[in-house]
Amino acid sequence: MNSAQVTRVLFVCLGNICRSPLAEGLFRHKVEARGLTEQFHVDSAGTGDWHIGHPPDERMLETALGRGVQLTSRARQVRKSDFVEFDVIYAMDRANQRDLLELGAPDEKVKLFLKSDPKAEVIEVPDPYFGGLEGFHEVFDLVDRACEAILEEYEQS
Ligand code: 4NP
């Protein structure tokens, strides 16, 4: 296993109040549960600037808490230094991926998040912001499985 080296992981969506804060919180939760805290630095950001400084959307907070995960992040916007600081940048959907590349993120660092899950039936995490509560649970399930798949792959490497 990849022992001493820290892997720096950034999750990116549009607003940084729904999908990417969940991915950050869930990934960190799983990292801690596996005793891998020293191996990862985890963060999230949005390509948009509307919600800078805000906590995650109340519906995302409640959905995550109901399923055992506390989200503590505050929204921030992607910055160019992220493209140097992070080893891998997971985009929640294709628009996020395109925006990151347009901002200058290196192609080899930007991955479509759900491509990490070989069992995923969709390749984008749908934006739940304008929909109902069921959308937040759907996002939770997709993000949960992809985080699990990334860590399984990591542990096998
Ligand atoms: P997120 O969801 O990208 O998963 O954080 C959104 C949150 C806010 C907006 C759009 C998407 N918005 O338009 O304000």
Side-chain angles (χ1 to χ4, degrees):
M1 203 210 300
N2 200 341
S3 55
Q5 203 184 331
V6 174
T7 303
R8 306 176 76 88
V9 182
L10 182 67
F11 297 99
V12 173
C13 63
L14 178 59
N16 195 213
I17 56 167
C18 298
R19 294 166 291 173
S20 62
L22 176 70
E24 175 191 343
L26 248 176
F27 193 81
R28 187 176 291 122
H29 184 80
K30 289 177 186 294
V31 159
E32 285 169 5
R34 283 168 156 85
L36 298 174
T37 311
E38 305 298 315
Q39 261 96 304
F40 287 95
H41 171 74
V42 189
D43 198 0
S44 67
T47 56
D49 63 0
W50 311 283
H51 299 287
I52 291 171
H54 295 180
D57 184 285
E58 195 65 36
R59 297 163 294 174
M60 195 77 265
L61 282 171
E62 300 264 314
T63 301
L65 203 54
R67 297 174 71 168
V69 181
Q70 195 164 12
L71 306 181
T72 56
S73 65
R74 287 288 178 276
R76 73 166 177 90
Q77 195 170 22
V78 170
R79 44 184 178 251
K80 297 226 186 251
S81 58
D82 290 330
F83 307 152
V84 179
E85 187 185 332
F86 288 90
D87 302 305
V88 58
I89 302 173
Y90 287 111
M92 295 295 121
D93 63 30
R94 283 196 185 93
N96 307 145
Q97 183 180 36
R98 192 169 53 239
D99 290 343
L100 284 164
L101 295 174
E102 279 176 9
L103 287 166
D107 195 47
E108 65 275 12
K109 286 190 180 182
V110 180
K111 296 182 192 300
L112 203 48
F113 179 52
L114 292 189
K115 280 198 176 171
S116 307
D117 178 5
K119 296 193 195 115
E121 289 171 3
V122 291
I123 65 163
E124 298 185 292
V125 183
D127 185 346
Y129 187 66
F130 295 105
L133 203 50
E134 71 286 355
F136 286 82
H137 285 281
E138 184 194 348
V139 165
F140 189 99
D141 291 335
L142 289 168
V143 170
D144 189 26
R145 290 193 291 261
C147 287
E148 198 66 31
I150 290 167
L151 284 169
E152 275 171 21
E153 171 86 24
Y154 174 84
E155 288 182 313
Q156 282 162 16
S157 68

